Amino acid sequence: MARLPSELRTALGRRASGVTTGRSRYRLLLAVPGMRTTLVTGLLVKLPVIAIPLVLSLQVSLGLHRSLGAAGLVAGAWMAGVMAGAPLLGWAMDRWSMRPVLAVSALAQVAFWTTADRLPYPALLCAALASGLLLVPGSTLTRMVLAARTAPEHRQAAFALDTVTSQLSYLAGPALGALLSTQASPATACRLLGVALGLALAAFALRSAQPSRPAPAPDPAPVPDRPAPGERDDPAGGAEEVGPAGADGRIRATGAPVAPVTAAGSALACAFATGTVSSGFELSLIGLCRAQGAVPWVGLLIAVCGLYAVLGGLLSGTLAVTPRPAVTLLLLGLVTAPLGLAGDWRVLLVAVAPAAMLAAVSFAVTAAACTAAATERTRGRLLGLYGAAVAGGNALGAPLAGLASAAAGPAGGFLAVGAAAALVALACHVLAALTGRTRPLPSQKG
């Protein structure tokens, strides 16, 4: 475990002197042809997708006049479909390229959402499951294109921008869905969501998606390399060390490759745990505010957390050294666990900053590590698994925090999800140490 603090100090120590480099990195990244379009169209896909659970719940509770339990069951069926369908759709994109899969997904979403308000409850339950199975999440689409268009040393900054757009969609998507459902009607919200989602998927397919999967280039011959004097092997897991580009523009490997299954598994486990913290954090925040009689300030606290997360995502793209997923997750768990000790909601306004920022950083670094472990032919299915892992963590976090709060009081939710994240981080670190030699993730270059 001695490696973890030193790596963090390296990243943060070089952060202070690298602000200009970080800003220039973003400028260079946004200058890549199609990069701005990819981020914008990805955001347009994310906005309606983030609003789906709330719109479905309001359609069942207000439109069909069913109980909240029935509404939660429909939203849960949709989430289960997303979790099961993400790896399958990723495999399909690896097999047939992105555009035909997006065409099928767009048609399925428009068909479901334009008829959802007329379906009886049993049919809506089944149709929601099918809709989730055939939905390609916006984050998966954006990450696939970013991974294909950016060099390895710039992917951390690219995924940081993707995390920022995801946080913006979390801030705006549910609010827009609630506004339409309550001020117009749940049926209107369903239809507009379907149209918006179909158009966004079509726009992404036409403007951002690669028309076909490029033929894989031959693997470069490995270049033998020995650690420099005093250099230590990093036991934290990850991808191989990456060197400068050759004359043909390809990035050359300079270190011995590591087991991609271990690196991918560690990244997926850390992503699952980050999703658990993310959803459990919100429920714990609500429970703590209710215990303090500060329920009217819950909306402000959640909005502030979103802004902190945006800031954390932006800062993560300027780090000179990419932190390990296990390092970031461990810190996230450690700063989340004691939040229940805050005695006033005003204290929480400041105390939640490290956790919210580290959650955004964790999503960015786990996505980068997962992509580094993938090949061109497996990128879709691995990023699909990544999306399923995050969704699974989101599904687990709220029940875990709720049960812990019921058993140990309002502070129990924060403690439970924070401790779970720390344990997963430690397990990933130990597993990586037991599976052999590894190399650091590629440093970012301005």
Side-chain angles (χ1 to χ4, degrees):
M1 294 299 296
R3 176 65 178 171
L4 302 185
S6 62
E7 181 177 302
L8 179 68
R9 287 197 300 270
T10 302
L12 296 180
R14 294 173 63 179
R15 162 76 185 93
S17 60
V19 174
T20 304
T21 301
R23 291 174 180 172
S24 64
R25 184 181 301 122
Y26 280 132
R27 286 196 296 269
L28 291 172
L29 190 64
L30 294 174
V32 174
M35 186 62 62
R36 296 173 186 265
T37 302
T38 297
L39 293 170
V40 171
T41 53
L43 175 61
L44 293 178
V45 175
K46 293 174 187 179
L47 279 170
V49 170
I50 296 299
I52 284 177
L54 179 63
V55 171
L56 273 178
S57 299
L58 291 175
Q59 168 59 24
V60 174
S61 59
L62 300 181
L64 298 181
H65 305 289
R66 294 277 187 144
S67 66
L68 291 178
L73 190 59
V74 172
W78 176 82
M79 181 63 71
V82 172
M83 292 171 57
L88 297 176
L89 293 173
W91 172 85
M93 286 188 285
D94 287 334
R95 177 68 178 82
W96 292 295
S97 82
M98 188 178 287
R99 283 185 174 173
V101 176
L102 284 181
V104 173
S105 181
L107 291 174
Q109 300 309 313
V110 171
F112 169 70
W113 287 104
T114 54
T115 59
D117 61 297
R118 296 189 290 273
L119 295 176
Y121 181 78
L124 181 62
L125 184 64
C126 297
L129 176 64
S131 173
L133 282 169
L134 295 173
L135 175 65
V136 185
S139 293
T140 300
L141 296 174
T142 307
R143 290 167 187 144
M144 286 188 66
V145 176
L146 292 180
R149 291 182 175 176
T150 56
E153 64 269 20
H154 291 153
R155 283 179 187 162
Q156 172 62 20
F159 289 131
L161 289 180
D162 173 65
T163 299
V164 168
T165 61
S166 295
Q167 295 300 328
L168 292 175
S169 67
Y170 274 106
L171 287 173
L176 291 175
L179 183 66
L180 286 172
S181 296
T182 55
Q183 300 303 313
S185 69
T188 301
C190 287
R191 292 169 188 168
L192 289 179
L193 188 150
V195 171
L197 184 54
L199 290 176
L201 288 171
F204 196 98
L206 293 174
R207 300 298 303 273
S208 299
Q210 299 292 337
S212 61
R213 188 183 69 245
D219 293 333
V223 179
D225 183 42
R226 290 183 175 274
E231 180 184 349
R232 297 172 55 188
D233 291 332
D234 184 4
E240 63 182 346
E241 187 177 5
V242 177
D248 58 356
R250 287 177 55 82
I251 304 297
R252 301 299 184 187
T254 60
V258 300
V261 174
T262 301
S266 177
L268 292 174
C270 290
F272 180 91
T274 304
T276 301
V277 173
S278 180
S279 61
F281 183 93
E282 291 186 1
L283 187 66
S284 301
L285 199 63
I286 293 171
L288 191 61
C289 287
R290 186 175 67 176
Q292 297 175 359
V295 172
W297 301 105
V298 168
L300 175 63
L301 281 167
I302 292 178
V304 168
C305 287
L307 294 177
Y308 283 143
V310 170
L311 178 60
L314 289 173
L315 291 177
S316 71
T318 66
L319 293 176
V321 176
T322 303
R324 291 285 174 190
V327 176
T328 310
L329 180 63
L330 178 61
L331 291 173
L332 174 60
L334 293 178
V335 299
T336 300
L339 284 176
L341 300 177
D344 189 273
W345 69 270
R346 299 173 187 86
V347 176
L348 280 174
L349 280 174
V350 179
V352 297
M357 295 174 70
L358 280 168
V361 176
S362 185
F363 280 125
V365 299
T366 51
C370 194
T371 303
T375 65
E376 195 172 80
R377 289 184 176 274
T378 62
R379 186 178 292 147
R381 69 198 77 176
L382 196 51
L383 286 175
L385 283 171
Y386 179 87
V390 174
N394 287 332
L396 175 65
L400 176 62
L403 291 173
S405 297
F414 288 113
L415 181 61
V417 296
L423 289 174
V424 171
L426 292 173
C428 290
H429 178 68
V430 171
L431 177 63
L434 294 175
T435 53
R437 300 173 68 250
T438 60
R439 291 283 183 176
L441 289 174
S443 299
Q444 299 195 68
K445 299 177 182 179

